[in-house]
């Protein structure tokens, strides 16, 4: 038989977010079973760059072990409770195994042959045979093949009350979800050859074969993920450049709309940045403006990396390349921290390494909904957050919330990173009602390195790292399963049991809003100005703020009023927003201690 290839695939375990693609009225009568299948089918087609709206001469085959058991049980309950006269015709029509296929073929305009297969644990295998036969006979050029099953309380109740019935079952796993594959005879870039499928399905878990196949063939990021990352990147760059400083606070918008609203002079830089993000190359290459998300998705499928690039003290881009294998290892190695979490609420952009892993990848790995929100401290967070939430944030934002007297609902876990979280802030978060606070110590180069939960505690090295220790200090770390080795930028003391205590940076960098900046760079720049005789730059004290401040000695004959405006314009042209001193103090000489060392002012 001719070779068959998986051109794209998608796997989902909840129906949340399907409203993004269709009007609410269209979905009103669909049950969970149909929504699961529809969501997976939509994501599979989007990953293959197939239009959802246009007509498709694609064959559709859906397999299911048990069909829509929730609606079936609801229908039977209504007969038991109220008699057949009150039985719902809608519940009956939705209870048949063919209901998901009907909804998908109508809503996605599929005009090819359609088939539903149901044979308990051999359903997916039988559907695969049909798909192979259709492609071999050229009944269709492409087959959208899916499997969908759902869990119901009746099944669990039967298992619990009749254990002897299942005594011979080697696998009693119950999995609910949908997996879809676009199959063809064409070996497109990023495709996988469909070989023999190892049988894993059981009567209680009839879709296991499909889920296992999707896990091996699915890319780390699908089209929707790339769309979110691209939108976040554009908003951050617009704010960083001062073109639209409020873009990060606005509602969700498509990347194409965000890009269209950029200043024309900023667009080339954003395209270069996106290219660097998805390829690791600082050299501008063609990035299609008309479909900016699809262009990014194509580059990710080709290269399989994400580059969380940063700017060093010289302003030169520093690449922090992470392969899909590295990112998967990190994600899997972090999930143990979040037992019992039901939803992830993130205010950190997914184009940032911290937001990418915890706001995007960890929720996917744990099969929980992810809710990205703008970082608005004035929002009613007590109403937004709910029991079981993981609130992904950062110290500066937490400080603002605590200053405003925000209280957390019961059962909320707060996650913080990007900058050290002061012990007093950790205590304040617990006093505000947080069930847990987890602080992550990490870097763009490495991702997450270690974690802690309480003020004063050392950090614990995460289990996917090997540590290189010299003279009681952590000098470098390396991944256990992927080729990533990172030199530690901080002075980190090591205690018993891989407990770590960061003691300060080796390169004298400080963090402003989670971004490394270098006061020495700003000092050097100020001293190069013809009006400046001397200058010193440092981080503000906690009571002053969290930005840089500068003390400047002007040359003889230079007026302070004229110099202040000129210096600010000079710095704005040369420095990023994070590097700009928030306050400037002028004086006759640099403040010194009685021992001749520079002191604060």
């Amino acid at each position: 038989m001719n070779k068959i290839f998986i051109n794209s695939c998608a796997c989902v375990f909840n129906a949340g977010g399907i409203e993004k693609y269709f009007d609410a009225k269209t979905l009103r009568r669909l049950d969970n079973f149909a929504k699961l299948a529809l969501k997976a089918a939509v994501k599979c087609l989007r990953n293959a760059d197939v239009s959802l709206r246009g007509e498709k001469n694609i064959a559709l085959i859906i397999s299911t072990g048990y069909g829509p058991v929730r609606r079936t049980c609801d229908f039977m309950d209504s007969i038991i409770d109220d008699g057949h006269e009150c039985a719902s015709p809608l519940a009956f029509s939705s209870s048949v195994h063919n209901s998901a296929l009907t909804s998908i073929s109508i809503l996605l305009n599929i005009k090819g042959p359609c088939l539903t297969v149901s044979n308990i644990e051999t359903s997916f295998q039988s559907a695969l045979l049909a798909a192979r036969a259709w492609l071999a006979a050229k009944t269709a050029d492409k087959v959208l093949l899916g499997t969908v099953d759902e869990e119901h309380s009746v099944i669990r109740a039967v298992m619990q009350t009749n254990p002897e019935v299942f005594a011979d079952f080697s696998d009693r796993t119950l999995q609910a979800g949908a997996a879809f594959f676009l199959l063809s005879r064409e070996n497109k870039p990023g495709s996988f050859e469909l070989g023999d499928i190892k049988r894993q399905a059981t009567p209680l878990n009839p879709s296991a074969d499909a889920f296992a196949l999707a896990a091996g063939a699915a890319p780390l990021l699908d089209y929707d993920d790339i769309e979110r990352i691209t939108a976040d990147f554009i908003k951050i760059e617009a704010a960083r450049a001062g073109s639209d400083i409020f873009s990060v606070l606005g509602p969700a918008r498509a990347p194409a709309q965000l890009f269209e609203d950029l200043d024309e002079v900023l667009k080339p830089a954003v395209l270069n940045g996106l290219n660097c993000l998805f390829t690791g190359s600082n050299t501008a290459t063609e990035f299609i403006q008309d479909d900016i998300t699809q262009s990014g998705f194509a580059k990710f499928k080709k290269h399989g990396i994400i580059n969380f690039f940063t700017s060093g003290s010289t302003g030169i881009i520093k690449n922090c390349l992470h392969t899909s294998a590295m990112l998967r290892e990190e994600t899997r190695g972090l999930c143990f921290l979040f037992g019992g979490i039901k939803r992830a609420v993130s205010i950190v952009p997914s184009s940032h390494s911290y937001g990418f892993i915890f706001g995007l990848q960890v929720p996917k790995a744990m099969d929980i909904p992810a809710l990205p929100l703008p970082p608005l401290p004035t929002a009613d967070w007590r109403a937004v957050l709910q029991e079981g939430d993981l609130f992904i944030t950062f110290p500066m934002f937490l400080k603002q919330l605590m200053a405003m007297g925000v209280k957390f609902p019961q059962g909320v876990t707060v996650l913080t990173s990007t900058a050290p979280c002061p012990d007093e802030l950790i205590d304040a978060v617990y006093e505000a009602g947080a069930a847990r606070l987890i602080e992550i110590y990490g870097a763009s180069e490495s991702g997450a390195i270690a974690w802690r939960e309480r003020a004063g505690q050392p950090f614990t090295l995460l289990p996917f790292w090997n540590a290189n220790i010299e003279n009681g200090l952590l000098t470098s770390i390396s991944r256990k399963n992927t080729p990533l080795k990172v030199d530690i930028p901080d002075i980190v003391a090591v205690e018993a049991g891989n407990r770590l205590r960061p003691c300060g940076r080796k390169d004298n960098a400080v963090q402003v809003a989670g971004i490394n900046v270098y006061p020495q760079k700003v000092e050097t720049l100020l001293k190069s100005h013809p009006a400046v005789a001397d200058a010193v730059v440092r981080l503000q004290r906690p009571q002053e703020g969290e930005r840089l401040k500068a003390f400047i000695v002007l040359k003889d004959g230079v007026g302070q009023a004229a110099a202040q405006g000129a210096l600010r314009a000079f710095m704005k042209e040369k420095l990023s927003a994070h590097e700009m001193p928030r306050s400037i103090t002028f004086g006759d000489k640099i403040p010194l201690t009685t021992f001749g060392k520079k002191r604060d002012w």
Side-chain angles (χ1 to χ4, degrees):
M1 189 174 288
N2 295 331
K3 291 183 177 180
I4 305 299
F5 296 94
I6 301 173
N7 297 148
S8 71
C9 70
C11 191
V12 303
F13 296 99
N14 65 77
I18 188 62
E19 300 81 6
K20 173 181 177 181
Y21 311 106
F22 302 96
D23 295 333
K25 185 186 299 184
T26 304
L27 302 171
R28 185 167 55 89
R29 295 182 181 275
L30 298 188
D31 66 335
N32 178 70
F33 182 78
K35 287 181 178 178
L36 270 174
L38 180 61
K39 180 179 176 182
V42 165
K43 292 175 77 68
C44 182
L45 291 176
R46 280 166 65 85
N47 289 346
D49 195 26
V50 175
S51 170
L52 301 183
R53 306 304 175 199
E55 292 188 1
K56 309 167 191 62
N57 189 24
I58 296 175
L60 174 63
I61 303 177
I62 293 182
S63 70
T64 178
Y66 291 105
V69 291
R70 292 187 187 181
R71 186 55 66 95
T72 300
C73 290
D74 290 345
F75 175 66
M76 297 180 70
D77 285 343
S78 70
I79 296 177
I80 295 170
D81 295 339
D82 303 312
H84 62 84
E85 298 88 352
C86 297
S88 167
L90 176 62
F92 171 72
S93 64
S94 299
S95 70
V96 298
H97 288 50
N98 207 39
S99 60
L101 179 135
T102 303
S103 300
I104 291 172
S105 61
I106 293 173
L107 292 177
L108 296 181
N109 296 304
I110 291 177
K111 304 301 181 182
C114 297
L115 174 69
T116 296
V117 178
S118 183
N119 195 23
I120 311 181
E121 70 265 34
T122 63
S123 299
F124 184 63
Q125 299 280 353
S126 300
L128 272 175
L129 288 174
R132 286 183 180 275
W134 284 6
L135 289 170
K138 298 185 179 180
T139 303
D141 292 330
K142 294 182 176 63
V143 175
L144 182 60
L145 170 68
T147 189
V148 56
D149 272 297
E150 60 182 355
E151 183 185 345
H152 191 270
S153 57
V154 171
I155 299 174
R156 286 205 175 276
V158 171
M159 289 179 65
Q160 292 171 358
T161 56
N162 301 276
E164 68 282 356
V165 175
F166 305 96
D168 295 334
F169 281 49
S170 58
D171 180 9
R172 303 182 191 183
T173 305
L174 292 173
Q175 267 186 303
F180 270 69
F181 309 85
L182 188 62
L183 307 179
S184 77
R185 295 185 299 275
E186 188 176 357
N187 187 12
K188 294 183 176 181
S191 296
F192 293 83
E193 184 179 351
L194 179 61
D196 295 331
I197 307 300
K198 183 180 179 181
R199 283 288 305 277
Q200 300 182 49
T202 65
L204 288 180
N205 192 11
S207 294
D209 295 341
F211 295 151
L213 180 61
L220 177 77
L221 301 174
D222 61 24
Y223 186 93
D224 291 335
D225 297 331
I226 298 293
E227 187 173 58
R228 177 177 162 187
I229 294 167
T230 302
D232 284 349
F233 182 86
I234 295 172
K235 288 191 290 185
I236 291 295
E237 291 305 300
R240 192 195 309 274
S243 172
D244 183 3
I245 60 175
F246 297 108
S247 60
V248 293
L249 305 178
R253 296 169 62 202
Q257 295 174 327
L258 291 165
F259 186 79
E260 184 64 29
D261 290 342
L262 291 176
D263 291 341
E264 290 299 322
V265 294
L266 184 58
K267 287 182 178 180
V270 168
L271 291 176
N272 287 351
L274 286 168
N275 185 68
C276 190
L277 180 68
F278 294 123
T279 69
S281 172
N282 300 330
T283 304
T285 59
E286 184 180 357
F287 212 94
I288 303 171
Q289 297 186 35
D290 294 339
D291 195 346
I292 201 166
T293 302
Q294 183 57 40
S295 188
F297 188 45
K299 289 182 181 295
F300 176 76
K301 286 196 293 185
K302 178 180 179 180
H303 298 280
I305 61 110
I306 292 291
N307 177 33
F308 300 114
F309 55 89
T310 60
S311 293
S313 59
T314 62
I316 298 173
I317 289 177
K318 180 179 181 181
N319 288 342
C320 306
L321 298 176
H322 296 258
T323 66
S324 294
M326 292 174 187
L327 294 166
R328 282 195 173 98
E329 181 184 19
E330 181 179 4
T331 301
R332 292 166 182 162
L334 288 164
C335 289
F336 79 95
L337 291 172
F338 307 114
I341 295 297
K342 300 175 183 176
R343 186 179 67 159
V345 180
S346 177
I347 63 166
V348 184
S350 57
S351 55
H352 187 284
S353 59
Y354 171 49
F356 177 90
I357 289 293
F358 292 96
L360 187 64
Q361 290 300 306
V362 167
K364 287 173 65 176
M366 296 183 63
D367 182 27
I368 58 175
L371 178 63
L373 292 174
L376 281 169
T378 55
D380 186 359
W381 289 102
R382 189 167 180 85
V384 171
L385 298 172
Q386 57 195 34
E387 185 175 358
D389 275 353
L390 174 67
F391 184 34
I392 303 160
T393 180
F394 48 92
M396 180 183 289
F397 192 83
L398 284 175
K399 183 178 179 180
Q400 292 175 313
L401 293 188
M402 297 302 96
M404 296 170 63
V406 169
K407 300 296 182 182
F408 296 105
Q410 183 179 0
V412 170
T413 296
V414 174
L415 184 74
T416 180
S417 190
T418 74
C421 193
D423 285 351
E424 60 271 19
L425 182 55
I426 293 175
D427 291 336
V429 170
Y430 276 111
E431 290 171 6
R436 292 176 72 200
L437 180 141
I438 301 174
E439 182 181 5
I440 298 294
Y441 169 62
S444 297
E445 297 90 335
S446 61
I449 296 173
W451 64 284
R452 68 171 183 168
E453 288 192 56
R454 290 286 176 178
Q457 281 185 345
F459 289 84
T460 300
L461 188 69
L462 286 161
F464 47 85
W465 288 112
N466 291 314
N468 183 28
I469 303 168
E470 297 179 10
N471 300 320
L473 297 178
L474 183 67
T475 58
S476 65
I477 49 177
S478 57
R479 287 284 179 85
K480 291 184 176 179
N481 298 313
T482 53
L484 177 62
K485 183 177 181 180
V486 179
D487 292 329
I488 300 298
D490 301 319
I491 301 171
V492 178
V494 181
E495 301 177 1
N498 276 344
R499 300 296 195 270
L500 313 177
R501 286 193 184 273
C503 305
R505 291 192 66 89
K506 297 175 183 176
D507 54 13
N508 297 317
V510 297
Q511 289 205 329
V512 174
I515 301 296
N516 289 338
V517 297
Y518 298 79
Q520 186 62 48
K521 172 189 173 182
V522 183
E523 280 186 26
T524 302
L525 179 70
L526 284 171
K527 290 176 182 178
S528 71
H529 193 278
V532 176
D534 202 0
V536 63
V537 177
R538 64 170 58 202
L539 191 65
Q540 290 179 322
R541 293 189 297 272
Q543 61 269 29
E544 295 175 323
E546 297 181 0
R547 300 297 175 92
L548 296 183
K549 61 180 181 178
F551 191 101
I552 297 174
V553 179
L554 297 174
K555 291 182 178 179
D556 293 339
V558 178
Q560 178 178 323
Q564 185 158 358
L567 285 169
R568 287 197 177 276
F570 174 69
M571 288 188 291
K572 188 173 182 180
E573 186 178 298
K574 305 288 186 182
L575 301 175
S576 69
H578 294 82
E579 293 170 321
M580 283 287 292
R582 171 161 287 180
S583 68
I584 297 177
T585 302
F586 293 92
D588 296 329
K589 59 182 179 179
I590 298 297
L592 301 175
T593 67
T594 54
F595 298 99
K597 294 184 178 181
K598 294 177 182 177
R599 64 172 175 82
D600 204 353
W601 61 91

